Amino acid sequence: MGRWNDAGTKDEYKRLFREATVTDQMKLFQLHIVIYLVVNIIRLALNMVGTVVINPPWAVYHSPVGWGLLVIVHYWFYVHGAEKLCRLREQIVGV
């Protein structure tokens, strides 16, 4: 049947669960990137048109830089570290 039914042992199930978690986290990260780009492109366009006046001028970079750092943190902990996070949860639960 499905992929989950192929797990014959507990270790195999845990491995498949970790792979699925990493895949899910990557999809969420990609969505985060898309939202980040859309919002910041709209902000940039508004700033270039002159609809929004921002003083001082360098304050325009606060949002993309701050949010960009959070995107990096999202990747580091929830995509790069997804398997490690699963293992940590398994230890806490005692599986």
Side-chain angles (χ1 to χ4, degrees):
M1 256 202 196
R3 189 171 166 182
W4 298 109
N5 294 335
D6 297 338
T9 66
K10 188 162 107 176
D11 290 336
E12 181 68 11
Y13 174 80
K14 290 191 320 189
R15 184 187 65 78
L16 290 172
F17 181 79
R18 287 186 209 118
E19 286 178 9
T21 301
V22 171
T23 302
D24 290 344
Q25 290 299 327
M26 184 51 114
K27 288 177 186 175
L28 288 172
F29 177 71
Q30 290 169 345
L31 177 64
H32 195 173
I33 290 289
V34 168
I35 293 169
Y36 169 80
L37 290 173
V38 167
V39 168
N40 283 293
I41 287 170
I42 290 171
R43 287 177 52 96
L44 179 64
L46 289 173
N47 288 331
M48 291 179 76
V49 171
T51 306
V52 177
V53 178
I54 297 179
N55 281 324
W58 50 265
V60 171
Y61 301 109
H62 283 173
S63 176
V65 170
W67 194 355
L69 291 172
L70 292 175
V71 168
I72 292 169
V73 168
H74 178 174
Y75 175 80
W76 186 258
F77 286 104
Y78 290 101
V79 177
H80 177 73
E83 188 170 339
K84 183 178 177 183
L85 188 59
C86 283
R87 291 179 192 274
L88 180 64
R89 289 177 179 157
E90 290 167 3
Q91 287 177 346
I92 291 170
V93 174
V95 177

mmCIF file with all atom_site columns, all heavy atoms in Angstrom, residues 25-45:
data_model
loop_
_atom_site.group_PDB
_atom_site.id
_atom_site.type_symbol
_atom_site.label_atom_id
_atom_site.label_alt_id
_atom_site.label_comp_id
_atom_site.label_asym_id
_atom_site.label_entity_id
_atom_site.label_seq_id
_atom_site.pdbx_PDB_ins_code
_atom_site.Cartn_x
_atom_site.Cartn_y
_atom_site.Cartn_z
_atom_site.occupancy
_atom_site.B_iso_or_equiv
_atom_site.pdbx_formal_charge
_atom_site.auth_seq_id
_atom_site.auth_comp_id
_atom_site.auth_asym_id
_atom_site.auth_atom_id
_atom_site.pdbx_PDB_model_num
ATOM 1   N N   . GLN A 1 25 ? 9.074  20.095 6.540  1.00 0.00 ? 25 GLN A N   1
ATOM 2   C CA  . GLN A 1 25 ? 9.734  21.328 6.972  1.00 0.00 ? 25 GLN A CA  1
ATOM 3   C C   . GLN A 1 25 ? 10.302 22.095 5.782  1.00 0.00 ? 25 GLN A C   1
ATOM 4   O O   . GLN A 1 25 ? 10.293 23.322 5.768  1.00 0.00 ? 25 GLN A O   1
ATOM 5   C CB  . GLN A 1 25 ? 10.823 21.038 8.001  1.00 0.00 ? 25 GLN A CB  1
ATOM 6   C CG  . GLN A 1 25 ? 10.287 20.595 9.341  1.00 0.00 ? 25 GLN A CG  1
ATOM 7   C CD  . GLN A 1 25 ? 9.402  21.637 9.988  1.00 0.00 ? 25 GLN A CD  1
ATOM 8   O OE1 . GLN A 1 25 ? 9.597  22.844 9.836  1.00 0.00 ? 25 GLN A OE1 1
ATOM 9   N NE2 . GLN A 1 25 ? 8.402  21.185 10.712 1.00 0.00 ? 25 GLN A NE2 1
ATOM 10  N N   . MET A 1 26 ? 10.801 21.382 4.774  1.00 0.00 ? 26 MET A N   1
ATOM 11  C CA  . MET A 1 26 ? 11.318 22.047 3.576  1.00 0.00 ? 26 MET A CA  1
ATOM 12  C C   . MET A 1 26 ? 10.194 22.743 2.821  1.00 0.00 ? 26 MET A C   1
ATOM 13  O O   . MET A 1 26 ? 10.370 23.867 2.338  1.00 0.00 ? 26 MET A O   1
ATOM 14  C CB  . MET A 1 26 ? 12.037 21.047 2.673  1.00 0.00 ? 26 MET A CB  1
ATOM 15  C CG  . MET A 1 26 ? 12.672 21.712 1.476  1.00 0.00 ? 26 MET A CG  1
ATOM 16  S SD  . MET A 1 26 ? 13.716 23.114 1.916  1.00 0.00 ? 26 MET A SD  1
ATOM 17  C CE  . MET A 1 26 ? 15.284 22.519 1.453  1.00 0.00 ? 26 MET A CE  1
ATOM 18  N N   . LYS A 1 27 ? 9.017  22.119 2.757  1.00 0.00 ? 27 LYS A N   1
ATOM 19  C CA  . LYS A 1 27 ? 7.869  22.749 2.093  1.00 0.00 ? 27 LYS A CA  1
ATOM 20  C C   . LYS A 1 27 ? 7.456  24.017 2.835  1.00 0.00 ? 27 LYS A C   1
ATOM 21  O O   . LYS A 1 27 ? 7.173  25.041 2.208  1.00 0.00 ? 27 LYS A O   1
ATOM 22  C CB  . LYS A 1 27 ? 6.699  21.774 2.016  1.00 0.00 ? 27 LYS A CB  1
ATOM 23  C CG  . LYS A 1 27 ? 6.897  20.660 1.024  1.00 0.00 ? 27 LYS A CG  1
ATOM 24  C CD  . LYS A 1 27 ? 5.736  19.695 1.044  1.00 0.00 ? 27 LYS A CD  1
ATOM 25  C CE  . LYS A 1 27 ? 6.001  18.497 0.148  1.00 0.00 ? 27 LYS A CE  1
ATOM 26  N NZ  . LYS A 1 27 ? 4.939  17.491 0.247  1.00 0.00 ? 27 LYS A NZ  1
ATOM 27  N N   . LEU A 1 28 ? 7.416  23.958 4.153  1.00 0.00 ? 28 LEU A N   1
ATOM 28  C CA  . LEU A 1 28 ? 7.073  25.139 4.942  1.00 0.00 ? 28 LEU A CA  1
ATOM 29  C C   . LEU A 1 28 ? 8.104  26.243 4.759  1.00 0.00 ? 28 LEU A C   1
ATOM 30  O O   . LEU A 1 28 ? 7.757  27.425 4.682  1.00 0.00 ? 28 LEU A O   1
ATOM 31  C CB  . LEU A 1 28 ? 6.943  24.779 6.422  1.00 0.00 ? 28 LEU A CB  1
ATOM 32  C CG  . LEU A 1 28 ? 5.712  23.964 6.799  1.00 0.00 ? 28 LEU A CG  1
ATOM 33  C CD1 . LEU A 1 28 ? 5.806  23.499 8.250  1.00 0.00 ? 28 LEU A CD1 1
ATOM 34  C CD2 . LEU A 1 28 ? 4.455  24.771 6.582  1.00 0.00 ? 28 LEU A CD2 1
ATOM 35  N N   . PHE A 1 29 ? 9.370  25.857 4.686  1.00 0.00 ? 29 PHE A N   1
ATOM 36  C CA  . PHE A 1 29 ? 10.432 26.840 4.477  1.00 0.00 ? 29 PHE A CA  1
ATOM 37  C C   . PHE A 1 29 ? 10.281 27.512 3.117  1.00 0.00 ? 29 PHE A C   1
ATOM 38  O O   . PHE A 1 29 ? 10.440 28.723 2.988  1.00 0.00 ? 29 PHE A O   1
ATOM 39  C CB  . PHE A 1 29 ? 11.801 26.176 4.605  1.00 0.00 ? 29 PHE A CB  1
ATOM 40  C CG  . PHE A 1 29 ? 12.934 27.114 4.325  1.00 0.00 ? 29 PHE A CG  1
ATOM 41  C CD1 . PHE A 1 29 ? 13.252 28.124 5.214  1.00 0.00 ? 29 PHE A CD1 1
ATOM 42  C CD2 . PHE A 1 29 ? 13.687 26.989 3.171  1.00 0.00 ? 29 PHE A CD2 1
ATOM 43  C CE1 . PHE A 1 29 ? 14.290 29.000 4.953  1.00 0.00 ? 29 PHE A CE1 1
ATOM 44  C CE2 . PHE A 1 29 ? 14.724 27.858 2.908  1.00 0.00 ? 29 PHE A CE2 1
ATOM 45  C CZ  . PHE A 1 29 ? 15.032 28.867 3.796  1.00 0.00 ? 29 PHE A CZ  1
ATOM 46  N N   . GLN A 1 30 ? 9.964  26.733 2.089  1.00 0.00 ? 30 GLN A N   1
ATOM 47  C CA  . GLN A 1 30 ? 9.770  27.305 0.757  1.00 0.00 ? 30 GLN A CA  1
ATOM 48  C C   . GLN A 1 30 ? 8.598  28.284 0.749  1.00 0.00 ? 30 GLN A C   1
ATOM 49  O O   . GLN A 1 30 ? 8.676  29.344 0.117  1.00 0.00 ? 30 GLN A O   1
ATOM 50  C CB  . GLN A 1 30 ? 9.558  26.188 -0.267 1.00 0.00 ? 30 GLN A CB  1
ATOM 51  C CG  . GLN A 1 30 ? 10.811 25.389 -0.523 1.00 0.00 ? 30 GLN A CG  1
ATOM 52  C CD  . GLN A 1 30 ? 10.570 24.130 -1.327 1.00 0.00 ? 30 GLN A CD  1
ATOM 53  O OE1 . GLN A 1 30 ? 9.447  23.677 -1.488 1.00 0.00 ? 30 GLN A OE1 1
ATOM 54  N NE2 . GLN A 1 30 ? 11.652 23.551 -1.836 1.00 0.00 ? 30 GLN A NE2 1
ATOM 55  N N   . LEU A 1 31 ? 7.535  27.958 1.472  1.00 0.00 ? 31 LEU A N   1
ATOM 56  C CA  . LEU A 1 31 ? 6.408  28.884 1.597  1.00 0.00 ? 31 LEU A CA  1
ATOM 57  C C   . LEU A 1 31 ? 6.846  30.162 2.304  1.00 0.00 ? 31 LEU A C   1
ATOM 58  O O   . LEU A 1 31 ? 6.475  31.261 1.899  1.00 0.00 ? 31 LEU A O   1
ATOM 59  C CB  . LEU A 1 31 ? 5.259  28.215 2.365  1.00 0.00 ? 31 LEU A CB  1
ATOM 60  C CG  . LEU A 1 31 ? 4.039  29.086 2.636  1.00 0.00 ? 31 LEU A CG  1
ATOM 61  C CD1 . LEU A 1 31 ? 3.371  29.495 1.328  1.00 0.00 ? 31 LEU A CD1 1
ATOM 62  C CD2 . LEU A 1 31 ? 3.069  28.348 3.539  1.00 0.00 ? 31 LEU A CD2 1
ATOM 63  N N   . HIS A 1 32 ? 7.653  30.025 3.338  1.00 0.00 ? 32 HIS A N   1
ATOM 64  C CA  . HIS A 1 32 ? 8.176  31.181 4.074  1.00 0.00 ? 32 HIS A CA  1
ATOM 65  C C   . HIS A 1 32 ? 8.985  32.081 3.137  1.00 0.00 ? 32 HIS A C   1
ATOM 66  O O   . HIS A 1 32 ? 8.850  33.305 3.173  1.00 0.00 ? 32 HIS A O   1
ATOM 67  C CB  . HIS A 1 32 ? 9.031  30.690 5.236  1.00 0.00 ? 32 HIS A CB  1
ATOM 68  C CG  . HIS A 1 32 ? 9.337  31.735 6.254  1.00 0.00 ? 32 HIS A CG  1
ATOM 69  N ND1 . HIS A 1 32 ? 9.970  31.441 7.429  1.00 0.00 ? 32 HIS A ND1 1
ATOM 70  C CD2 . HIS A 1 32 ? 9.135  33.065 6.292  1.00 0.00 ? 32 HIS A CD2 1
ATOM 71  C CE1 . HIS A 1 32 ? 10.125 32.541 8.136  1.00 0.00 ? 32 HIS A CE1 1
ATOM 72  N NE2 . HIS A 1 32 ? 9.627  33.549 7.457  1.00 0.00 ? 32 HIS A NE2 1
ATOM 73  N N   . ILE A 1 33 ? 9.814  31.488 2.304  1.00 0.00 ? 33 ILE A N   1
ATOM 74  C CA  . ILE A 1 33 ? 10.617 32.253 1.341  1.00 0.00 ? 33 ILE A CA  1
ATOM 75  C C   . ILE A 1 33 ? 9.714  33.012 0.363  1.00 0.00 ? 33 ILE A C   1
ATOM 76  O O   . ILE A 1 33 ? 9.947  34.190 0.069  1.00 0.00 ? 33 ILE A O   1
ATOM 77  C CB  . ILE A 1 33 ? 11.588 31.325 0.565  1.00 0.00 ? 33 ILE A CB  1
ATOM 78  C CG1 . ILE A 1 33 ? 12.685 30.815 1.480  1.00 0.00 ? 33 ILE A CG1 1
ATOM 79  C CG2 . ILE A 1 33 ? 12.188 32.021 -0.645 1.00 0.00 ? 33 ILE A CG2 1
ATOM 80  C CD1 . ILE A 1 33 ? 13.699 31.839 1.896  1.00 0.00 ? 33 ILE A CD1 1
ATOM 81  N N   . VAL A 1 34 ? 8.684  32.342 -0.156 1.00 0.00 ? 34 VAL A N   1
ATOM 82  C CA  . VAL A 1 34 ? 7.774  32.982 -1.113 1.00 0.00 ? 34 VAL A CA  1
ATOM 83  C C   . VAL A 1 34 ? 7.077  34.176 -0.466 1.00 0.00 ? 34 VAL A C   1
ATOM 84  O O   . VAL A 1 34 ? 7.015  35.269 -1.054 1.00 0.00 ? 34 VAL A O   1
ATOM 85  C CB  . VAL A 1 34 ? 6.748  31.964 -1.666 1.00 0.00 ? 34 VAL A CB  1
ATOM 86  C CG1 . VAL A 1 34 ? 5.635  32.656 -2.427 1.00 0.00 ? 34 VAL A CG1 1
ATOM 87  C CG2 . VAL A 1 34 ? 7.445  30.945 -2.545 1.00 0.00 ? 34 VAL A CG2 1
ATOM 88  N N   . ILE A 1 35 ? 6.554  33.993 0.743  1.00 0.00 ? 35 ILE A N   1
ATOM 89  C CA  . ILE A 1 35 ? 5.886  35.092 1.441  1.00 0.00 ? 35 ILE A CA  1
ATOM 90  C C   . ILE A 1 35 ? 6.868  36.233 1.695  1.00 0.00 ? 35 ILE A C   1
ATOM 91  O O   . ILE A 1 35 ? 6.534  37.408 1.495  1.00 0.00 ? 35 ILE A O   1
ATOM 92  C CB  . ILE A 1 35 ? 5.243  34.593 2.753  1.00 0.00 ? 35 ILE A CB  1
ATOM 93  C CG1 . ILE A 1 35 ? 4.098  33.635 2.437  1.00 0.00 ? 35 ILE A CG1 1
ATOM 94  C CG2 . ILE A 1 35 ? 4.757  35.762 3.604  1.00 0.00 ? 35 ILE A CG2 1
ATOM 95  C CD1 . ILE A 1 35 ? 3.570  32.895 3.640  1.00 0.00 ? 35 ILE A CD1 1
ATOM 96  N N   . TYR A 1 36 ? 8.075  35.897 2.122  1.00 0.00 ? 36 TYR A N   1
ATOM 97  C CA  . TYR A 1 36 ? 9.123  36.900 2.361  1.00 0.00 ? 36 TYR A CA  1
ATOM 98  C C   . TYR A 1 36 ? 9.376  37.716 1.095  1.00 0.00 ? 36 TYR A C   1
ATOM 99  O O   . TYR A 1 36 ? 9.414  38.947 1.136  1.00 0.00 ? 36 TYR A O   1
ATOM 100 C CB  . TYR A 1 36 ? 10.397 36.190 2.819  1.00 0.00 ? 36 TYR A CB  1
ATOM 101 C CG  . TYR A 1 36 ? 11.624 37.059 2.848  1.00 0.00 ? 36 TYR A CG  1
ATOM 102 C CD1 . TYR A 1 36 ? 11.867 37.928 3.902  1.00 0.00 ? 36 TYR A CD1 1
ATOM 103 C CD2 . TYR A 1 36 ? 12.564 37.002 1.818  1.00 0.00 ? 36 TYR A CD2 1
ATOM 104 C CE1 . TYR A 1 36 ? 12.998 38.718 3.932  1.00 0.00 ? 36 TYR A CE1 1
ATOM 105 C CE2 . TYR A 1 36 ? 13.694 37.794 1.839  1.00 0.00 ? 36 TYR A CE2 1
ATOM 106 C CZ  . TYR A 1 36 ? 13.913 38.649 2.900  1.00 0.00 ? 36 TYR A CZ  1
ATOM 107 O OH  . TYR A 1 36 ? 15.028 39.432 2.924  1.00 0.00 ? 36 TYR A OH  1
ATOM 108 N N   . LEU A 1 37 ? 9.535  37.044 -0.036 1.00 0.00 ? 37 LEU A N   1
ATOM 109 C CA  . LEU A 1 37 ? 9.816  37.745 -1.293 1.00 0.00 ? 37 LEU A CA  1
ATOM 110 C C   . LEU A 1 37 ? 8.647  38.617 -1.730 1.00 0.00 ? 37 LEU A C   1
ATOM 111 O O   . LEU A 1 37 ? 8.845  39.780 -2.111 1.00 0.00 ? 37 LEU A O   1
ATOM 112 C CB  . LEU A 1 37 ? 10.172 36.733 -2.385 1.00 0.00 ? 37 LEU A CB  1
ATOM 113 C CG  . LEU A 1 37 ? 11.522 36.035 -2.218 1.00 0.00 ? 37 LEU A CG  1
ATOM 114 C CD1 . LEU A 1 37 ? 11.684 34.939 -3.263 1.00 0.00 ? 37 LEU A CD1 1
ATOM 115 C CD2 . LEU A 1 37 ? 12.662 37.031 -2.288 1.00 0.00 ? 37 LEU A CD2 1
ATOM 116 N N   . VAL A 1 38 ? 7.434  38.082 -1.676 1.00 0.00 ? 38 VAL A N   1
ATOM 117 C CA  . VAL A 1 38 ? 6.261  38.846 -2.113 1.00 0.00 ? 38 VAL A CA  1
ATOM 118 C C   . VAL A 1 38 ? 6.101  40.110 -1.273 1.00 0.00 ? 38 VAL A C   1
ATOM 119 O O   . VAL A 1 38 ? 5.953  41.216 -1.810 1.00 0.00 ? 38 VAL A O   1
ATOM 120 C CB  . VAL A 1 38 ? 4.991  37.969 -2.057 1.00 0.00 ? 38 VAL A CB  1
ATOM 121 C CG1 . VAL A 1 38 ? 3.738  38.800 -2.205 1.00 0.00 ? 38 VAL A CG1 1
ATOM 122 C CG2 . VAL A 1 38 ? 5.041  36.895 -3.130 1.00 0.00 ? 38 VAL A CG2 1
ATOM 123 N N   . VAL A 1 39 ? 6.127  39.955 0.032  1.00 0.00 ? 39 VAL A N   1
ATOM 124 C CA  . VAL A 1 39 ? 5.921  41.106 0.920  1.00 0.00 ? 39 VAL A CA  1
ATOM 125 C C   . VAL A 1 39 ? 7.019  42.147 0.718  1.00 0.00 ? 39 VAL A C   1
ATOM 126 O O   . VAL A 1 39 ? 6.743  43.342 0.609  1.00 0.00 ? 39 VAL A O   1
ATOM 127 C CB  . VAL A 1 39 ? 5.841  40.660 2.394  1.00 0.00 ? 39 VAL A CB  1
ATOM 128 C CG1 . VAL A 1 39 ? 5.916  41.848 3.346  1.00 0.00 ? 39 VAL A CG1 1
ATOM 129 C CG2 . VAL A 1 39 ? 4.579  39.867 2.633  1.00 0.00 ? 39 VAL A CG2 1
ATOM 130 N N   . ASN A 1 40 ? 8.266  41.716 0.631  1.00 0.00 ? 40 ASN A N   1
ATOM 131 C CA  . ASN A 1 40 ? 9.351  42.676 0.513  1.00 0.00 ? 40 ASN A CA  1
ATOM 132 C C   . ASN A 1 40 ? 9.434  43.303 -0.875 1.00 0.00 ? 40 ASN A C   1
ATOM 133 O O   . ASN A 1 40 ? 9.858  44.451 -1.004 1.00 0.00 ? 40 ASN A O   1
ATOM 134 C CB  . ASN A 1 40 ? 10.674 42.045 0.946  1.00 0.00 ? 40 ASN A CB  1
ATOM 135 C CG  . ASN A 1 40 ? 10.748 41.965 2.453  1.00 0.00 ? 40 ASN A CG  1
ATOM 136 O OD1 . ASN A 1 40 ? 10.810 42.983 3.132  1.00 0.00 ? 40 ASN A OD1 1
ATOM 137 N ND2 . ASN A 1 40 ? 10.695 40.761 2.990  1.00 0.00 ? 40 ASN A ND2 1
ATOM 138 N N   . ILE A 1 41 ? 8.994  42.600 -1.905 1.00 0.00 ? 41 ILE A N   1
ATOM 139 C CA  . ILE A 1 41 ? 8.929  43.206 -3.244 1.00 0.00 ? 41 ILE A CA  1
ATOM 140 C C   . ILE A 1 41 ? 7.845  44.284 -3.266 1.00 0.00 ? 41 ILE A C   1
ATOM 141 O O   . ILE A 1 41 ? 8.045  45.365 -3.830 1.00 0.00 ? 41 ILE A O   1
ATOM 142 C CB  . ILE A 1 41 ? 8.698  42.127 -4.324 1.00 0.00 ? 41 ILE A CB  1
ATOM 143 C CG1 . ILE A 1 41 ? 9.983  41.313 -4.516 1.00 0.00 ? 41 ILE A CG1 1
ATOM 144 C CG2 . ILE A 1 41 ? 8.241  42.747 -5.632 1.00 0.00 ? 41 ILE A CG2 1
ATOM 145 C CD1 . ILE A 1 41 ? 9.819  40.078 -5.381 1.00 0.00 ? 41 ILE A CD1 1
ATOM 146 N N   . ILE A 1 42 ? 6.704  43.996 -2.636 1.00 0.00 ? 42 ILE A N   1
ATOM 147 C CA  . ILE A 1 42 ? 5.640  45.008 -2.560 1.00 0.00 ? 42 ILE A CA  1
ATOM 148 C C   . ILE A 1 42 ? 6.128  46.224 -1.779 1.00 0.00 ? 42 ILE A C   1
ATOM 149 O O   . ILE A 1 42 ? 5.907  47.368 -2.193 1.00 0.00 ? 42 ILE A O   1
ATOM 150 C CB  . ILE A 1 42 ? 4.365  44.411 -1.926 1.00 0.00 ? 42 ILE A CB  1
ATOM 151 C CG1 . ILE A 1 42 ? 3.731  43.405 -2.893 1.00 0.00 ? 42 ILE A CG1 1
ATOM 152 C CG2 . ILE A 1 42 ? 3.371  45.511 -1.558 1.00 0.00 ? 42 ILE A CG2 1
ATOM 153 C CD1 . ILE A 1 42 ? 2.606  42.589 -2.301 1.00 0.00 ? 42 ILE A CD1 1
ATOM 154 N N   . ARG A 1 43 ? 6.792  45.998 -0.660 1.00 0.00 ? 43 ARG A N   1
ATOM 155 C CA  . ARG A 1 43 ? 7.324  47.114 0.134  1.00 0.00 ? 43 ARG A CA  1
ATOM 156 C C   . ARG A 1 43 ? 8.327  47.932 -0.675 1.00 0.00 ? 43 ARG A C   1
ATOM 157 O O   . ARG A 1 43 ? 8.327  49.157 -0.639 1.00 0.00 ? 43 ARG A O   1
ATOM 158 C CB  . ARG A 1 43 ? 7.971  46.599 1.413  1.00 0.00 ? 43 ARG A CB  1
ATOM 159 C CG  . ARG A 1 43 ? 6.994  46.119 2.460  1.00 0.00 ? 43 ARG A CG  1
ATOM 160 C CD  . ARG A 1 43 ? 7.717  45.552 3.665  1.00 0.00 ? 43 ARG A CD  1
ATOM 161 N NE  . ARG A 1 43 ? 8.708  46.473 4.181  1.00 0.00 ? 43 ARG A NE  1
ATOM 162 C CZ  . ARG A 1 43 ? 8.492  47.313 5.190  1.00 0.00 ? 43 ARG A CZ  1
ATOM 163 N NH1 . ARG A 1 43 ? 7.339  47.312 5.804  1.00 0.00 ? 43 ARG A NH1 1
ATOM 164 N NH2 . ARG A 1 43 ? 9.449  48.118 5.594  1.00 0.00 ? 43 ARG A NH2 1
ATOM 165 N N   . LEU A 1 44 ? 9.207  47.236 -1.401 1.00 0.00 ? 44 LEU A N   1
ATOM 166 C CA  . LEU A 1 44 ? 10.197 47.928 -2.232 1.00 0.00 ? 44 LEU A CA  1
ATOM 167 C C   . LEU A 1 44 ? 9.505  48.751 -3.313 1.00 0.00 ? 44 LEU A C   1
ATOM 168 O O   . LEU A 1 44 ? 9.881  49.902 -3.554 1.00 0.00 ? 44 LEU A O   1
ATOM 169 C CB  . LEU A 1 44 ? 11.153 46.912 -2.863 1.00 0.00 ? 44 LEU A CB  1
ATOM 170 C CG  . LEU A 1 44 ? 12.234 47.479 -3.768 1.00 0.00 ? 44 LEU A CG  1
ATOM 171 C CD1 . LEU A 1 44 ? 13.176 48.375 -2.973 1.00 0.00 ? 44 LEU A CD1 1
ATOM 172 C CD2 . LEU A 1 44 ? 13.001 46.357 -4.432 1.00 0.00 ? 44 LEU A CD2 1
ATOM 173 N N   . ALA A 1 45 ? 8.482  48.179 -3.950 1.00 0.00 ? 45 ALA A N   1
ATOM 174 C CA  . ALA A 1 45 ? 7.756  48.902 -4.994 1.00 0.00 ? 45 ALA A CA  1
ATOM 175 C C   . ALA A 1 45 ? 7.084  50.149 -4.415 1.00 0.00 ? 45 ALA A C   1
ATOM 176 O O   . ALA A 1 45 ? 7.137  51.225 -5.025 1.00 0.00 ? 45 ALA A O   1
ATOM 177 C CB  . ALA A 1 45 ? 6.726  47.984 -5.636 1.00 0.00 ? 45 ALA A CB  1
#
